[in-house]
Amino acid sequence: MADHTSIAIRGLSLRHDSNGPGSTGPASRIVGRFQLLKTVSAGSPYLCQYLEAQKSAKGQLYVVSEHHSSSLQSHASQQADLAVRDVHQLRQWTYQIASALSYLSSYGIHHGNLCTANILLHPTLSIRLAHYGLCFLTGGGIDAQELTRRPELLPPELIRGVSGVDEEKTDVWMLGMTLVELYFGAQALVIQDPQEMHGFLLSLLLHAESGRNSSTEAEVPWVVRSMIDTDEDLDPSLAEFLRDCLNPDPATRPRVADLLAHRFLQTATSPDLSLQASILEDPLTDLTLPQLFHLWKVDGGNIENEYNKSTQHFAPSINRLPYLVRLAQDPFKSATSHMQSDLLVQVPLEPVIRKLVHAPKVRWRPAYGNESWKSPPNWTSRHDFEMLPDSVKLHTISKEKDVLYQYYRIRLFIQLLRNYPETKEEIMLEAVTDIPPILRGLVWAAVLDGDELQTAQDMDEVVDDNLDRQLALDIPRCHQYNELLSSPTGHSKLKRLLRSWAAMEADCYVYWQGLDSVCAAPLSLNFADETLALETMRAFLRRFSGGFFVQDNSTIMHETMITFSQLIAFHDPLLSEHMRKCGLEPHLFALPWFMTMYSHIFPLDKIYVLWDNIIIGPRFLFLFIGCAILHQLRDDLLPRDFNMAMLLFSDLGAIDIERCVVHAHSLYRVTPPSVVEHLYDIFDTHVVRLPIELRQKELLPSISMEDYRVMEPFSTTFDTRKPSAYHAGHIPFSQDVQPDAVDPQFYRQIVNTRMISGRNKYIVVILDEKRSGSEFAKKLLWTGQLPHICLLQAHELQLELITPFLCECQPNRDMYGLHRCRQST
């Protein structure tokens, strides 16, 4: 790929922190700074793009960036006299370099090592500055070893070692020296003899001192001045430009913005960026360099392995020796000298590019199975209330490692996101299948309508000392295994987002512990775009868990916990009874699950998978995910007492998230919607609801008339109303049961009948207005351990809404003395 864009890896040798390794160590600080650099690098056409900073298990750091094989140094070396005498070309390059430096300066970033080797050329001969972020990343060399600088290019103030150097003016000096080298040839500044180098540096110091102590204007050092003054062909505006850049006195040396207004650059023009052809063959032109790098990693690429393989092959043996050997008891490991070198290792992109170029041109979907089960049809249209088969799997790992699959999914979502919001329905439909990890942040925001909240670009932050004190406790504990969130930059961003959220939502919500964990996922996906992270967080909270973050959240907490307890009893009576007997109430362990949507108990990689399904799935899927977690822990929970069970909940790292999601959807499919949908109107004072104490006592969920209409053909129905009401009109096939007169053997008979019946998947107990039949339902639950038992409160007028007619037959009396509808015999 000569003369084409590629990707290169550079290793940085970290300096050991005096406080030892930890969340505030050099690697953490560098990774935090890198996110700003990554964003900035994508904002100028004259910068090589930074792609990733990765810390290895051995404590080394690798920086991945765009790379071009051609540079100003190599271009000049191919000229006849090793110099570039084309003033027009120099003017264009100088304008592009100055534009890039000015753009970087606006973000407080300065190159610090500008030279012909670090100025790369795109195939269209436009400039791409390289390695401009290393000084910023390393904190000026505090956290890691910087690149080796050429001493003959350094400004006098750096040679003199003064403090408080203006880094922008250092870049201006080095730009001038770079132009001198280009115009007069590389040999003009190549000094091999140490004595000559000493004399050259001494001349810089002497002229710097003369300019600093003299009332006259400082002059260009004589070594360079002689070349400028004796060249009769030198363009006057260029000569003036060089003299301005090489002013030994930094106080009077111009800034980059001044250079852009210099007369030498007045006739410079910006290149036509549309002519800068893509490095990728059609149909890959839509892919950005970060996306191509992501696909390289999906295809098995490993940054550390690639770097080590190249350094072991090319580096001399002496460069692989340790340059620092510590005592055996020292906790820090020795570093090797090759990390100190300026070696660049190119990433082999050709194999993955060949795969993508020769991929089928048609829209292609690999056979990962039909996942329409994630969005089941409307409850009223269901004709099959079966659980999902065990063969249904998510295949998330297989999908994320399939480079062709990821390539097609990325291209599809890029097209859909470009046309958002018109394509929102299509985005949601495709997201049901899966979401490409590299686009997850954008897809979440699109599905949640985060952009409709119209967050201001300048995020206002609430001023609250109590909030700041709480954040100072919560943030240092929030997902600190993550390199981004554990960095000082991550801490400051997390604090800024939470303070901004508190300011924007002051009329509706308040900060409770756990909100920092909810913020972690959107921030980690949109680390470089705090506005988008905040929009996503606000939209997510409003839709799913906002009720938990109100001043008085006791109502929503109680209602959610009761509903969750009833779901457990509905789906797993044995586990529910065991938890009841040992005092394992859901609020003791599940409250942080629902309050933070599991972001407090699982690492981010599992949270991404869960939230993909929560965001796209049914509104209250998170409750069924809780049931699915208990199902995975079932075999461990049943033999344990309270203390051992609570200990089990303290570490859920072994939970299989993919199995959990499949099972949660299974539970949702067979659950009447009214079991959970009453939570929609939790704060509606006009809705008449049962007292919380009564709902806690009943254990089992109540269903609506509408749900029973759908369930009735699949249900065994027991009517516990008074016999007179039953005789006046009852649902066909139902059975009259008077709880006070039921023979204990009757429960066993029900269990045996239910086990051999393939038709009846639900047991519905109809209650009178006093709900006296709930005790019968509880005995049935405890005796038979039968799933899918639910309650229905009804009187005669309501029953008429369920069926076209009520049966008024004279019911038969069975062996237990109870009445049974004649149609059921």
Side-chain angles (χ1 to χ4, degrees):
M1 294 179 63
D3 296 329
H4 280 180
T5 304
S6 62
I7 297 172
I9 309 169
R10 180 180 295 280
L12 294 181
S13 177
L14 298 177
R15 300 188 189 277
H16 295 299
D17 200 12
S18 59
N19 296 325
S23 61
T24 58
S28 180
R29 291 193 291 267
I30 290 176
V31 170
R33 297 185 193 114
F34 182 82
Q35 303 311 308
L36 171 61
L37 187 63
K38 182 179 179 180
T39 303
V40 170
S41 69
S44 171
Y46 309 126
L47 298 176
C48 285
Q49 195 167 357
Y50 279 97
L51 304 176
E52 187 169 319
Q54 176 181 301
K55 181 183 177 182
S56 71
K58 297 181 179 179
Q60 298 166 338
L61 195 83
Y62 304 97
V63 176
V64 184
S65 62
E66 175 185 348
H67 182 68
H68 295 266
S69 57
S70 179
S71 66
L72 290 187
Q73 184 182 57
S74 62
H75 180 81
S77 66
Q78 297 171 4
Q79 307 306 310
D81 52 358
L82 304 181
V84 179
R85 292 281 182 162
D86 185 344
V87 175
H88 173 73
Q89 183 65 77
L90 287 176
R91 179 181 290 110
Q92 293 297 108
W93 286 343
T94 303
Y95 173 79
Q96 295 170 23
I97 296 171
S99 298
L101 294 176
S102 177
Y103 171 76
L104 291 173
S105 181
S106 66
Y107 288 92
I109 300 174
H110 306 284
H111 197 300
N113 194 20
L114 194 64
C115 62
T116 55
N118 290 337
I119 304 174
L120 307 184
L121 286 176
H122 188 270
T124 57
L125 294 184
S126 62
I127 290 297
R128 295 291 187 277
L129 287 191
H131 316 312
Y132 53 87
L134 294 182
C135 183
F136 171 76
L137 279 180
T138 62
I142 295 175
D143 292 329
Q145 180 76 24
E146 290 187 82
L147 289 176
T148 304
R149 298 180 180 183
R150 290 173 55 186
E152 67 272 20
L153 301 182
L154 297 180
E157 61 269 23
L158 282 186
I159 299 173
R160 194 164 60 243
V162 299
S163 60
V165 172
D166 189 328
E167 295 175 335
E168 181 183 355
K169 294 191 174 183
T170 296
D171 286 345
V172 170
W173 173 279
M174 299 186 84
L175 172 59
M177 294 298 285
T178 299
L179 290 176
V180 168
E181 181 176 350
L182 282 173
Y183 185 83
F184 294 102
Q187 71 283 355
L189 295 179
V190 173
I191 305 175
Q192 301 290 349
D193 189 344
Q195 290 186 349
E196 291 185 17
M197 175 63 72
H198 180 270
F200 178 83
L201 298 179
L202 182 61
S203 71
L204 295 181
L205 286 175
L206 291 176
H207 279 77
E209 290 295 330
S210 65
R212 195 159 57 95
N213 299 326
S214 173
S215 60
T216 60
E217 184 178 354
E219 296 181 351
V220 179
W222 66 270
V223 178
V224 178
R225 185 182 61 192
S226 61
M227 291 187 289
I228 296 176
D229 294 343
T230 58
D231 192 316
E232 298 179 354
D233 297 328
L234 181 60
D235 183 272
S237 62
L238 175 56
E240 181 183 333
F241 187 87
L242 293 175
R243 290 190 181 96
D244 289 343
C245 290
L246 299 177
N247 186 339
D249 184 7
T252 58
R253 191 182 306 153
R255 295 193 174 276
V256 179
D258 300 327
L259 296 182
L260 287 171
H262 196 279
R263 68 187 185 101
F264 173 61
L265 300 181
Q266 291 304 299
T267 58
T269 57
S270 301
D272 186 352
L273 300 180
S274 64
L275 299 178
Q276 298 187 14
S278 171
I279 62 164
L280 303 175
E281 302 178 47
D282 188 68
L284 308 186
T285 52
D286 287 342
L287 290 181
T288 63
L289 196 62
Q291 291 164 356
L292 179 63
F293 176 63
H294 170 74
L295 291 174
W296 174 79
K297 291 192 296 181
V298 169
D299 199 37
N302 184 283
I303 296 173
E304 184 176 2
N305 291 346
E306 204 64 42
Y307 187 89
N308 291 337
K309 180 174 60 177
S310 298
T311 54
Q312 290 173 4
H313 180 71
F314 294 108
S317 300
I318 193 171
N319 283 354
R320 298 201 298 270
L321 293 175
Y323 65 84
L324 179 64
V325 179
R326 296 180 178 271
L327 299 178
Q329 64 270 24
D330 195 303
F332 301 120
K333 296 181 179 180
S334 299
T336 54
S337 60
H338 77 266
M339 294 296 290
Q340 286 243 27
S341 70
D342 294 343
L343 176 67
L344 276 177
V345 175
Q346 290 200 26
V347 172
L349 296 175
E350 293 84 351
V352 67
I353 289 178
R354 282 198 298 269
K355 284 184 180 180
L356 302 183
V357 168
H358 295 95
K361 303 298 187 295
V362 298
R363 184 172 179 175
W364 170 79
R365 292 179 181 272
Y368 283 115
N370 180 9
E371 295 178 356
S372 60
W373 54 268
K374 292 185 182 179
S375 294
N378 185 276
W379 167 263
T380 57
S381 65
R382 297 180 188 177
H383 301 288
D384 182 13
F385 295 95
E386 295 288 350
M387 295 284 282
L388 291 170
D390 294 336
S391 60
V392 174
K393 298 185 183 299
L394 282 181
H395 303 286
T396 300
I397 296 178
S398 300
K399 290 178 178 181
E400 293 186 356
K401 290 184 177 181
D402 189 328
V403 64
L404 290 181
Y405 180 80
Q406 287 299 313
Y407 163 62
Y408 281 107
R409 296 296 290 172
I410 289 172
R411 292 196 67 190
L412 173 62
F413 273 95
I414 287 175
Q415 295 172 5
L416 294 177
L417 289 170
R418 282 175 181 169
N419 297 312
Y420 177 83
E422 289 78 10
T423 55
K424 180 184 175 182
E425 293 298 326
E426 293 180 67
I427 291 175
M428 295 181 66
L429 180 64
E430 291 294 340
V432 168
T433 302
D434 58 56
I435 300 174
I438 195 173
L439 298 176
R440 180 175 274 123
L442 294 175
V443 174
W444 281 7
V447 172
L448 291 170
D449 292 323
D451 58 314
E452 293 184 0
L453 295 176
Q454 297 179 351
T455 303
Q457 291 296 323
D458 296 326
M459 297 185 297
D460 295 327
E461 299 181 39
V462 69
V463 179
D464 186 337
D465 292 339
N466 293 330
L467 175 60
D468 289 344
R469 281 192 292 269
Q470 188 61 52
L471 293 180
L473 296 174
D474 294 345
I475 290 176
R477 299 178 298 196
C478 180
H479 293 279
Q480 292 304 285
Y481 58 87
N482 181 271
E483 290 184 347
L484 292 180
L485 299 180
S486 65
S487 67
T489 305
H491 285 192
S492 62
K493 283 178 176 286
L494 191 55
K495 180 178 181 180
R496 187 160 51 248
L497 255 64
L498 291 171
R499 290 180 53 154
S500 299
W501 176 87
M504 295 177 180
E505 304 287 13
D507 296 336
C508 303
Y509 304 114
V510 297
Y511 180 88
W512 286 97
Q513 278 187 290
L515 186 61
D516 55 313
S517 297
V518 178
C519 183
L523 178 59
S524 63
L525 292 176
N526 303 287
F527 200 81
D529 191 341
E530 293 180 41
T531 300
L532 186 60
L534 180 59
E535 291 172 350
T536 304
M537 172 189 170
R538 292 177 65 199
F540 183 87
L541 285 170
R542 289 186 174 221
R543 181 176 298 187
F544 297 106
S545 57
F548 289 105
F549 297 97
V550 296
Q551 190 68 46
D552 181 7
N553 57 8
S554 58
T555 301
I556 184 66
M557 284 183 177
H558 286 137
E559 289 287 348
T560 303
M561 290 302 107
I562 292 172
T563 302
F564 183 52
S565 297
Q566 293 176 347
L567 279 176
I568 298 171
F570 183 76
H571 290 292
D572 196 336
L574 180 60
L575 180 59
S576 173
E577 176 65 6
H578 172 73
M579 293 171 62
R580 185 185 67 84
K581 287 182 177 179
C582 68
L584 195 62
E585 299 293 335
H587 72 270
L588 298 175
F589 61 87
L591 189 57
W593 296 6
F594 306 141
M595 193 170 184
T596 68
M597 290 295 141
Y598 304 95
S599 60
H600 187 67
I601 63 170
F602 288 125
L604 286 172
D605 58 334
K606 293 186 176 183
I607 292 302
Y608 296 149
V609 177
L610 279 181
W611 281 25
D612 281 352
N613 287 271
I614 289 174
I615 290 172
I616 300 297
R619 171 73 177 273
F620 296 104
L621 183 66
F622 65 89
L623 290 172
F624 298 93
I625 290 174
C627 293
I629 292 174
L630 292 179
H631 178 76
Q632 284 196 35
L633 300 174
R634 188 177 193 271
D635 293 340
D636 293 324
L637 282 174
L638 288 176
R640 299 194 182 207
D641 60 12
F642 175 84
N643 292 330
M644 296 303 294
M646 289 300 295
L647 186 63
L648 183 64
F649 287 125
S650 64
D651 184 9
L652 299 177
I655 294 295
D656 186 332
I657 293 299
E658 295 195 64
R659 283 179 50 209
C660 180
V661 170
V662 173
H663 193 68
H665 280 280
S666 290
L667 298 176
Y668 169 78
R669 286 168 61 93
V670 297
T671 303
S674 55
V675 172
V676 294
E677 285 184 350
H678 67 278
L679 295 174
Y680 276 119
D681 50 25
I682 197 68
F683 296 111
D684 189 345
T685 57
H686 300 288
V687 176
V688 179
R689 61 180 72 254
L690 294 173
I692 289 179
E693 295 77 10
L694 180 59
R695 295 186 61 223
Q696 283 180 314
K697 185 179 179 180
E698 287 183 345
L699 295 180
L700 291 165
S702 296
I703 61 172
S704 66
M705 292 290 182
E706 292 77 9
D707 286 350
Y708 181 71
R709 185 181 311 194
V710 181
M711 296 164 54
E712 191 272 332
F714 306 94
S715 301
T716 298
T717 303
F718 296 101
D719 194 331
T720 64
R721 296 176 301 148
K722 294 181 179 180
S724 58
Y726 183 82
H727 286 277
H730 54 267
I731 296 175
F733 303 103
S734 65
Q735 182 170 345
D736 171 41
V737 173
Q738 298 305 307
D740 297 336
V742 173
D743 189 309
Q745 294 299 320
F746 176 70
Y747 296 105
R748 293 295 179 189
Q749 189 262 344
I750 293 176
V751 172
N752 294 333
T753 303
R754 180 98 187 287
M755 288 182 175
I756 63 176
S757 173
R759 172 182 178 275
N760 300 325
K761 305 181 187 304
Y762 298 92
I763 295 178
V764 180
V765 179
I766 299 178
L767 309 179
D768 57 16
E769 293 182 357
K770 295 183 179 180
R771 304 181 72 86
S772 57
S774 62
E775 291 299 320
F776 165 76
K778 283 196 291 187
K779 290 181 181 179
L780 188 61
L781 176 73
W782 294 338
T783 304
Q785 304 294 336
L786 294 175
H788 303 160
I789 302 176
C790 50
L791 309 176
L792 175 65
Q793 181 174 349
H795 51 75
E796 185 175 348
L797 293 179
Q798 289 175 313
L799 292 179
E800 290 177 352
L801 300 176
I802 299 176
T803 59
F805 62 91
L806 292 178
C807 182
E808 298 179 355
C809 68
Q810 293 300 315
N812 294 326
R813 186 180 296 272
D814 64 12
M815 60 182 294
Y816 298 102
L818 303 178
H819 296 98
R820 185 189 299 269
C821 178
R822 288 180 180 272
Q823 296 189 44
S824 61
T825 58

